Amino acid sequence: MRSIRFATVALATAALALPLATGSAAADPSAGKEAAPHSNAKFDRLRSAAPDDFVVGTAVAGGGHHLEQDYPDPFTYDREYRKVLGRQFSSVSPENQMKWDYIHPERDRYDFGQADAIVEFAERNKQVVRGHTLLWHSQNPAWLEQGDFSQEELREILREHITTVVGRYAGKIQQWDVANEIFDDQGKLRTQDNIWIRELGPGIVADAFRWAHEADPKAKLFFNDYNVEGVNAKSDAYYALIQDLLEQGVPVDGFSVQGHLSTRYGFPGDLEDNLRRFDALGLETAVTELDVRMDLPESGVPTEAQEQKQADYYQRTLEACLAVDGCNSFTIWGFTDKYSWVPVFFEGEGFANVMTDDYERKPAFYALRDTLKEAAREDDCKKHHKHHKH
């Protein structure tokens, strides 16, 4: 039984009856319609295809590295972008707009403009919001990282930030990434590059969860990280820490894997097993930042085999989440390559999202859509059988 969550739009019911694209043309109204690469018809939306208690999200491009790019802020100025964002997804995550350097640029000043706009957009489009992120070693403002604060001051700065930001959006944000990337790949706490852990000790992590919970008791509070898709030293470290925190009564609700994958590496085949062990602790799980980057040929155009491998990685990640009861939230980190962070941070790699620069859908998009439809149909059958038993 999936845990009950904020009701998402009843759009899903419309998609339940639709057979997969592999079915006969007569039975499937969407058959033969793949030709319209920009279609946002109901049968062609990820959010409509999904089971009705499962949200499909994306990062909302803007802030951060986008400021250095030669285009205006995507969320604010790109109407086509906003149209797809509203129609395709039932969940949104600010990519950079709630990170410290963006939302808290000076000690005594917050900038809520972009974050407010995203939350309002989500309300209009009947979407839930994932808040990202409250305690992290990266993208902190210079006034914080280079400030000369006592431990008491630093602790108060963090408490005040969490209380202010989480409190502002209380009741409007479904999940928060409270602590982001606090372990290195060896499973050791980041005691050097994370200002909070370095200056205040590891106990500050528990405090962050407590403060966030006080500010919004309804929000689900998560640990979030990359390279924790499989069972490894890093995910083991989270597994041990979370058990310890739960024993102390710290309000930890979830564990999420980012899913920044690359076709250079094999697929993390133990993803489902890993999610299950956190699920068994009573936690919700989520995929929060999925993209699948690749090394492009000289031409810049991927081969068909590359596109298929990418689609396979997307599909397998979604299937792992769908297979675990408490994994109800699945987010891709942007949907169009036009605004992807990948080429900015990984030289020579790209093509990581499910749509091209001009919003044409890739095989990865259809792999997600069809997998969601299949899951919705199975869900529907189960409910149908249950209904008839009683």
Side-chain angles (χ1 to χ4, degrees):
M1 170 63 197
R2 291 185 175 282
S3 51
I4 301 300
R5 298 165 37 269
F6 296 127
T8 54
V9 263
L11 281 174
T13 46
L16 294 181
L18 292 179
L20 267 174
T22 49
S24 75
D28 183 359
S30 66
K33 296 195 184 178
E34 311 277 59
H38 301 294
S39 155
N40 280 299
K42 207 173 250 190
F43 66 76
D44 227 358
R45 296 179 195 176
L46 298 177
R47 68 185 292 173
S48 318
D52 51 10
D53 54 356
F54 188 86
V55 297
V56 185
T58 186
V60 178
H65 71 273
H66 295 281
L67 300 173
E68 282 102 62
Q69 305 305 303
D70 59 0
Y71 47 68
D73 180 74
F75 177 69
T76 310
Y77 295 102
D78 188 336
R79 285 179 61 188
E80 170 85 352
Y81 176 84
R82 277 205 310 275
K83 190 171 79 177
V84 179
L85 179 69
R87 290 183 176 174
Q88 286 291 342
F89 302 98
S90 48
S91 172
V92 290
S93 305
E95 184 180 4
N96 294 290
Q97 299 94 328
M98 286 184 186
K99 289 173 179 171
W100 268 77
D101 59 355
Y102 205 86
I103 209 168
H104 200 166
E106 295 167 47
R107 185 173 179 179
D108 301 317
R109 183 171 74 85
Y110 288 86
D111 182 355
F112 289 115
Q114 284 283 304
D116 284 356
I118 291 168
V119 171
E120 284 159 22
F121 178 91
E123 284 180 341
R124 276 203 310 280
N125 289 281
K126 298 184 169 62
Q127 294 164 317
V128 296
V129 181
R130 293 197 84 257
H132 176 77
T133 175
L134 301 170
L135 183 154
W136 192 26
H137 67 277
S138 183
Q139 287 184 249
N140 287 325
W143 69 262
L144 174 67
E145 289 283 355
Q146 291 156 28
D148 185 19
F149 302 112
S150 69
Q151 285 186 321
E152 289 72 29
E153 285 175 310
L154 206 53
R155 185 182 161 80
E156 181 50 31
I157 286 168
L158 181 63
R159 190 198 64 78
E160 186 252 351
H161 177 94
I162 290 175
T163 305
T164 303
V165 176
V166 177
R168 183 179 186 88
Y169 302 110
K172 297 180 175 186
I173 287 194
Q174 185 201 34
Q175 300 179 350
W176 266 105
D177 291 330
V178 175
N180 197 47
E181 303 172 4
I182 61 167
F183 289 105
D184 65 19
D185 284 345
Q186 283 69 53
K188 303 271 188 289
L189 270 176
R190 292 182 185 269
T191 51
Q192 288 313 301
D193 51 357
N194 186 309
I195 183 173
W196 310 111
I197 296 170
R198 181 181 72 236
E199 303 300 329
L200 301 173
I204 195 62
V205 174
D207 288 331
F209 277 88
R210 292 187 188 104
W211 293 330
H213 182 68
E214 280 165 25
D216 185 0
K218 286 203 171 78
K220 299 290 186 182
L221 308 180
F222 277 70
F223 279 101
N224 187 56
D225 213 326
Y226 65 93
N227 288 353
V228 290
E229 290 75 29
V231 177
N232 56 31
K234 199 176 193 179
S235 60
D236 282 350
Y238 279 104
Y239 188 68
L241 174 65
I242 291 169
Q243 280 179 294
D244 188 35
L245 293 175
L246 292 174
E247 277 165 25
Q248 296 172 46
V250 178
V252 178
D253 301 302
F255 173 75
S256 54
V257 303
Q258 293 180 9
H260 293 296
L261 305 179
S262 168
T263 56
R264 275 186 190 183
Y265 312 109
F267 182 81
D270 51 354
L271 172 58
E272 186 186 324
D273 289 341
N274 190 38
L275 293 174
R276 279 191 194 285
R277 67 175 176 160
F278 286 94
D279 185 71
L281 295 178
L283 297 181
E284 289 189 17
T285 52
V287 173
T288 53
E289 305 183 17
L290 178 63
D291 46 29
V292 182
R293 62 188 188 271
M294 60 178 75
D295 294 286
L296 290 165
E298 291 277 293
S299 64
V301 181
T303 64
E304 203 174 311
Q306 282 183 304
E307 291 207 51
Q308 285 307 323
K309 187 173 184 181
Q310 178 184 57
D312 178 60
Y313 278 33
Y314 269 100
Q315 181 171 350
R316 288 167 72 183
T317 307
L318 175 58
E319 284 171 345
C321 180
L322 285 164
V324 178
D325 277 355
C327 192
N328 303 309
S329 178
F330 178 86
T331 297
I332 59 179
W333 205 239
F335 54 89
T336 168
D337 290 337
K338 187 176 183 179
Y339 301 129
S340 172
W341 73 297
V342 168
V344 181
F345 288 87
F346 297 92
E347 204 177 325
E349 292 184 84
F351 202 73
N353 296 106
V354 299
M355 296 182 192
T356 62
D357 283 9
D358 60 357
Y359 303 97
E360 195 165 327
R361 287 139 202 233
K362 304 179 188 178
F365 175 89
Y366 295 110
L368 292 182
R369 187 199 63 182
D370 294 347
T371 302
L372 290 165
K373 282 187 181 180
E374 182 61 37
R377 246 206 329 279
E378 283 170 19
D379 251 32
D380 212 31
C381 289
K382 279 180 199 152
K383 283 176 195 154
H384 192 69
H385 287 309
K386 228 184 201 163
H387 183 68
H388 282 287
K389 270 195 185 136
H390 293 304

